[in-house]
Amino acid sequence: MSLFRKSLASLGMGAARVDTVIQQDVLIPGDTLKVDVQVHGGKVAQQIDNIELALCCHYKEDVPTSRGDSQHRVETLTQTCVLAAWSLPYAFSIAPNDVRHFEASLALPFNTPITIGESKVWLDTRLDIALAVDPRDKDRLTVRPDPLLDGVFTALELAGLRIRQVECEAADGFALPFVQEFEFVPVSGPYHGRWRELEIVAYRDEESLKLWFEVDRHQHGLSGMLAGLLGRGELHRYCELPASLHPQQAGEQVLAFLDSYT
């Protein structure tokens, strides 16, 4: 029976399982993510070689495709990006029905996507068990803008703009293979009737918040063009805000910058 149970455990049946408990309800990029990794023993004793954690998100990428003819098409694929990965070097044996706790503090990268619209971020936890199916746990995170970006969004909202869509789009020239793109539409205020939509890409590091803008004044619509323009170096509406700036000042500077171009 013991050998049979070990065989089942190697296939994932009656094996140890992992459950990661996130200590915070809401995070902002740059925060410390505190977790309690709980390992629950199965029906047999098992050796755990390591605990692996990965912070992940999805992004969209347009990939050229061909169906064997002369016509070239573009297919939009959903890719997975590992934003950060950690290894907890805890090798241990867990007895049947035992529970072990491992606490960890993980630094959330500055450009972790904001979880609004279609943007999702999750923490993937995996137990490394030799010659067996590795147990996994997947936990969604709620990520909100940092104070500087929140100040910009607040100013845009007060000026009558509303977020319509948020997506992570593939782009070249950045540490990550994508950028997060925010699409705003004017519903009232000074830009209503002047703009059809405003697209913004935000990129943050320790020193500053970098912003790229594209404004559509016509009816054809931009919708996803900004990341492509960035990749080709064709976008020139750009401003940089120091990290020490007060959020309200950040919003005021962005509105003044947009007015100067439009």
Side-chain angles (χ1 to χ4, degrees):
M1 179 64 72
S2 177
L3 180 60
F4 181 64
R5 285 183 175 178
K6 287 181 179 179
S7 299
L8 290 178
S10 69
L11 297 173
M13 293 175 282
R17 62 182 178 86
V18 62
D19 181 25
T20 300
V21 178
I22 309 298
Q23 303 292 341
Q24 301 106 305
D25 293 330
V26 178
L27 295 145
I28 65 171
D31 268 355
T32 297
L33 171 63
K34 297 181 180 180
V35 300
D36 176 20
V37 181
Q38 302 176 3
V39 181
H40 299 260
K43 294 183 178 180
V44 297
Q46 285 185 290
Q47 177 67 27
I48 312 298
D49 294 334
N50 216 338
I51 302 174
E52 306 285 351
L53 300 105
L55 185 70
C56 306
C57 71
H58 286 143
Y59 68 95
K60 293 184 177 180
E61 183 177 19
D62 291 337
V63 178
T65 61
S66 176
R67 298 180 181 176
D69 52 26
S70 59
Q71 295 184 350
H72 294 281
R73 302 170 178 84
V74 173
E75 182 179 0
T76 300
L77 301 179
T78 298
Q79 311 282 20
T80 298
C81 176
V82 176
L83 301 162
W86 304 273
S87 180
L88 307 184
Y90 300 131
F92 60 96
S93 178
I94 188 162
N97 303 315
D98 194 10
V99 180
R100 299 283 298 272
H101 292 259
F102 301 90
E103 293 187 352
S105 296
L106 315 170
L108 209 66
F110 275 114
N111 288 291
T112 300
I114 310 304
T115 55
I116 54 178
E118 297 185 15
S119 299
K120 306 291 188 299
V121 175
W122 69 92
L123 184 68
D124 186 71
T125 307
R126 180 178 66 87
L127 299 182
D128 185 5
I129 303 177
L131 303 177
V133 175
D134 292 334
R136 307 183 83 101
D137 184 35
K138 181 176 178 180
D139 297 274
R140 288 268 294 271
L141 302 182
T142 299
V143 184
R144 295 292 178 250
D146 67 88
L148 207 58
L149 185 58
D150 190 55
V152 172
F153 288 168
T154 298
L156 293 172
E157 185 174 357
L158 291 174
L161 291 125
R162 300 289 181 269
I163 289 182
R164 178 168 64 185
Q165 186 171 334
V166 182
E167 289 185 331
C168 293
E169 301 273 351
D172 297 325
F174 293 88
L176 296 171
F178 70 90
V179 291
Q180 190 169 32
E181 191 171 307
F182 302 89
E183 181 184 317
F184 289 82
V185 291
V187 295
S188 63
Y191 306 108
H192 189 241
R194 293 170 55 193
W195 300 352
R196 183 180 182 273
E197 66 184 50
L198 167 70
E199 289 189 359
I200 301 176
V201 161
Y203 188 82
R204 177 69 193 267
D205 56 30
E206 292 185 10
E207 290 77 30
S208 65
L209 171 65
K210 301 173 177 64
L211 297 166
W212 289 263
F213 305 91
E214 189 68 12
V215 176
D216 179 23
R217 302 183 188 88
H218 309 292
Q219 296 302 312
H220 52 76
L222 290 165
S223 296
M225 290 296 294
L226 185 47
L229 291 171
L230 276 173
R232 297 196 299 269
E234 298 178 5
L235 193 68
H236 303 294
R237 292 193 180 95
Y238 161 83
C239 74
E240 187 169 347
L241 305 173
S244 59
L245 199 63
H246 188 277
Q248 183 176 342
Q249 292 177 307
E252 292 169 352
Q253 288 192 21
V254 166
L255 289 180
F257 176 84
L258 290 171
D259 285 336
S260 70
Y261 274 96
T262 58

